[in-house]
Amino acid sequence: MVGHIVTFVQHLQAHARQLPRLGRAGSAFLLALLLVMVGTGQALAQAPEGTANANPTLTTMLGITMGVLGVGLLTAVLISFVVWATGTRNPLIPTDEEMEHSFRRYFWFSVDHKVIGIQYFWTSLFFFFIGGLMALLVRWELAQPGLTFTPDQYNQFFTMHATIMIFLFIIPMLVGAFGNYAVPLMVGTFDMAFPKLNALSYWLVPPGALIIMAGFLAESGTAKAGWTSYPPVALQGGAGQMLWLLGVFVLGWSSIVGGMNFLVTIMNMRTKGVHYFRLPLFVWAIATTAVLAVLGTPSLAAAVTLQFMNIAFGFPFFDAAKGGNPLMWQHVFWFYSHPAVYIMILPAFGIVSEIIPVFSRKPLFGYRALVYATAGIGVLSFLVWAHHMFASAMFPWLRIPFMLTTMLIAVPTGIKIFNWLGTLAFGKIRLETPMLFSLALVSMFVIGGISGVFLGSVPVDLHLHDTYFVVAHIHYVLFGGSAFAIFGGIYYWFPKMFGRMLNESLGKIHFWLSFIGFNVAFLPMHAVGALGMPRRYADYDIAFTELNLTISIGAFLLGFAQLILIYNMLRAFQVGKVAPANPWNARTLEWLTTSPPPHYNFEEPLTVDHDPYDYGRRISSPEALPVPGD
Amino acid sequence: MAKQSNHEAHVGHVTSPTTYLIAAGALFVLTALTVGAAFVDLGPLNDLVALLIAGTKAAIIIVVFMHGRYTSGITRLAMVAGLIWLALLILGVMDDYLTRDWLMTPS
């Protein structure tokens, strides 16, 4: 393994020598990013805790002024990007054609959807490991009763774990990386509808991430009110909390821009013969997700703006002492954040819907039902948000409609599960790594879904609210669901993206260690939760010692397993088998071009006369398809 | 006529600077009105007046600056969807906000 790492580093060094000077524009951009990060962090650190309740002193005002300047600087940087994006300016920036075959295109403002997809891919993967590190710090603390870190540090770890995993890993990986890479190929076109907007949506992610991370430089530490940032606790957060709000705002902006782009691409850029009911399920999932992002994210933007003004300028929005309403935050926040759960799971369902027919050699069972179920989940996701607030002393009768809509979501979800099972039934099943991870999603998501029905029921929720049962539920959904689908997607599309095959044996080891580690870590959480252990506390009753130690061991095993994935990828770049155009004998359009595809994806415009999942039908054996490079 | 609308559909409607200036002027006047209204106590009408002025301003921006008047079909649908979703949010929040006092709590 050491040998591979050394070779990889030498590989990077060789490419680094080819990097040109970044040029004035690039240096200005990087300098501005650095200033935003350090300047805003340090400036806001001047603001004392709980600014909202303090008299504005000179240092406070200075901090706020510098913070505003930092945001202004960021805006200036983004505007200059737009100036560049509109055309004529900046001869310093090499064009895509100039760097088509150069490694450095991954470090610049490329407008090629495949490059942007790969930029998203590595960025998200990097943050997966940072977020994972935070999780392991949490589990290190909870492995034994008593305190290793201070409660304040512990609060920062779990807050940043969730923030990073949600906003910087799952969403950018599923929508940004796979969506960007696969959707234009799957609809048979040469790029996204708005390539420059696409570049903007990626390049908003690093500043957003840096702003959130800058919280670690603040005197009082980073955000520590949980990723849900409920007032009144969040209002006491000071600088770290303000940076968190700013960063989330910028990431939300990226999400909206990306969502619009996907919608226009899917509506207007389909190649000849690809009508709506010939779209692969993954494209349907991304379209639904885009609708959720476009309609829901403005609500999050409003919520974080109001909370920022509350903390920074003492506005009364969520401050009960000034006549504000802390519960208002929960409404406006969850109006986005519950659909956000579906933003994180629908593309995962889409990936599984791609993989299962390919590895069962059967048409997808109930294609149209799956499409309607996807859209149905999308619509219902906006009608359930108050189920997060059952314990908030809302008028009791009002909880019932939200309970019913929550239960109703089990119907389209059940349709999906049964359709996958119907696809598997009597299929010629090949248990390769992408399939293993997809089957893991189907089984683990059933557990996560059913515990969701428990939590959707008012009387049960009142007992389980804010216990480890909720933590178990969300991890069965977001790790057992989204993350397993992401791993499946990596094994499935890696050959297309990078032109190399991943090692199958290493993939299987990665799968089994992840699957075992995952269940050892999260299954006992149901028990500790039902027994009453609350979440978000740094210490616990000694009665929970054994179960917590087990959970921590599972978590560390799960963390270790992910190193195998990284090793497998590095190894593939060095000695991996060169990928053919269609290694899985799949029928969706991305496999009709070379691996990786050329600059404009297809040699000539496609005309499609078959459905995406025609496996096993006599008229359409995969061998009959023209496959370049095979 | 048909030729003209075909042309418009292709390049998009071009709004004259005068229209923009009038719309911008109206926004400034309405902003002044908002500030003015803040100094007059209208009792229960305070919120209503403020929201009416804000709504008018938003409408001017959507119709003129966002070309809401000249777009059609799916773009208009997208604009309406935003409004419906806002209504949905307000409806859900007001459900809770207006009924919270109904809960009898021991005093």
Side-chain angles (χ1 to χ4, degrees), chain A residues 267 295 299 325 327-328 331 335 382-383 385 389 392-396 398, chain B residues 74 78 81-82 85-86 88-89 91-93 95-97 99-100 102-103:
Chain A
M267 282 180 185
L295 291 173
S299 164
N325 188 337
L327 283 165
M328 193 62 81
H331 278 296
F335 189 73
F382 276 105
L383 304 173
W385 78 88
M389 301 169 62
S392 74
M394 148 193 325
F395 182 62
L398 200 56
Chain B
I74 200 111
W85 253 250
L86 181 65
L88 196 65
L89 171 67
L91 184 77
V93 175
D95 273 355
D96 180 23
Y97 197 74
T99 57
R100 202 163 273 267
W102 294 6
L103 197 65

Side-chain angles (χ1 to χ4, degrees), chain A residues 133-165:
Chain A
L133 184 70
M134 296 287 154
L136 293 184
L137 290 171
V138 167
R139 286 322 309 176
W140 186 263
E141 170 63 62
L142 295 178
Q144 294 288 318
L147 289 177
T148 310
F149 303 107
T150 64
D152 191 63
Q153 287 170 327
Y154 177 82
N155 292 348
Q156 296 177 37
F157 295 155
F158 73 70
T159 300
M160 293 310 279
H161 162 65
T163 304
I164 292 170
M165 287 302 195

Side-chain angles (χ1 to χ4, degrees), chain A residues 55-68:
Chain A
N55 289 323
T57 60
L58 188 63
T59 38
T60 316
M61 292 314 290
L62 190 68
I64 291 170
T65 312
M66 287 180 71
V68 171

